[in-house]
Amino acid sequence: MIRLEDVSKRYPNGTAALQDVDLAIDQGDFAFLVGASGAGKSTLIRLLIREDLPTTGRVVVDDKDVAQLRHSQIPQLRRLVGVVFQDFKLLPTKTVTENIAFALLVTGHGGQIVREETERVLALVGLTHRSTHFPRELSGGEQQRVAIARALVNRPRVLIADEPTGNLDPVTSWEIIKLLTRVQELGTTLVMATHNAEIVNALRRRVIHLDHGAVVRDEREGLYAA
Ligand SMILES: Nc1ncnc2c1ncn2[C@@H]1O[C@H](COP(=O)(O)OP(=O)(O)O)[C@@H](O)[C@H]1O
Ligand SMILES: [Mg+2]
């Protein structure tokens, strides 16, 4: 589903954020991306969603080199790959329903589909009762669940989460992790960047460890000593 071939990323200021990364993540997999702050986790994620391009090497998602995508093919990648961030990135002037529906509108859907699919993902994350609320009226955990619903509404085959529990307390973090685990069990490939060792060690999934932009360890049922 995802392949990085000899990928390096050097920012214009000279920082080498990724160095010779080779990686393959299969459809349906659950992979943690771990490593200290600055190790290159977010950079790797930005390459996967084509928010940035590798300096050298290839990033392949669903058999397509993302750097080679034409402008008109980028919405396709956005439908294929959902993403959630540490700071939720909800639109403050839109309600919960409108935030989710927006993701469908920008991928060209309208009418009945928008209503049905928005209700479907709201139920999936357990927030049907919050549909008319604004983000500022929700707790952090609820806001992250809205962000997850928005990421899932286009039925992506891959869900990427960059430190999704970074702004949440431990109890709320576990609720989010349980939700993400359920999403993966329903068939979505899950890639989650985190430096929360407790979560990584409790779940025993694949652990890809980045250090100064290089993969230093990649283990099934791995552990992480932060
Ligand atoms: N836009 C940018 N311009 C220059 N350097 C950057 C940029 N984004 C990240 N970096 C640097 O690249 C390295 C990797 O950062 P990042 O991918 O954000 O790591 P992580 O998500 O693991 O904390 C760090 O040294 C960081 O300072
Ligand atoms: Mg980061």
Side-chain angles (χ1 to χ4, degrees), residues 186-219:
L186 293 171
T188 309
T189 310
L190 194 81
V191 180
M192 175 176 157
T194 184
H195 52 240
N196 187 325
E198 199 185 323
I199 286 170
V200 174
N201 294 339
L203 265 66
R204 291 301 196 102
R205 303 300 178 108
R206 181 175 176 186
V207 177
I208 300 162
H209 192 147
L210 285 174
D211 185 19
H212 292 91
V215 176
V216 292
R217 213 157 43 84
D218 183 351
E219 288 173 354

Side-chain angles (χ1 to χ4, degrees), residues 38-87:
K41 304 182 294 296
S42 295
T43 298
L44 198 158
I45 284 173
R46 280 199 297 275
L47 298 184
L48 292 179
I49 60 176
R50 205 190 188 270
E51 246 182 60
D52 209 340
L53 294 171
T55 310
T56 58
R58 279 175 15 115
V59 177
V60 180
V61 179
D62 194 32
D63 288 325
K64 289 180 232 14
D65 181 341
V66 299
Q68 301 295 325
L69 292 179
R70 287 191 303 276
H71 205 70
S72 61
Q73 291 173 305
I74 292 178
Q76 231 169 298
L77 180 69
R78 296 279 180 268
R79 279 198 295 274
L80 187 71
V81 182
V83 58
V84 300
F85 299 96
Q86 174 169 354
D87 59 357

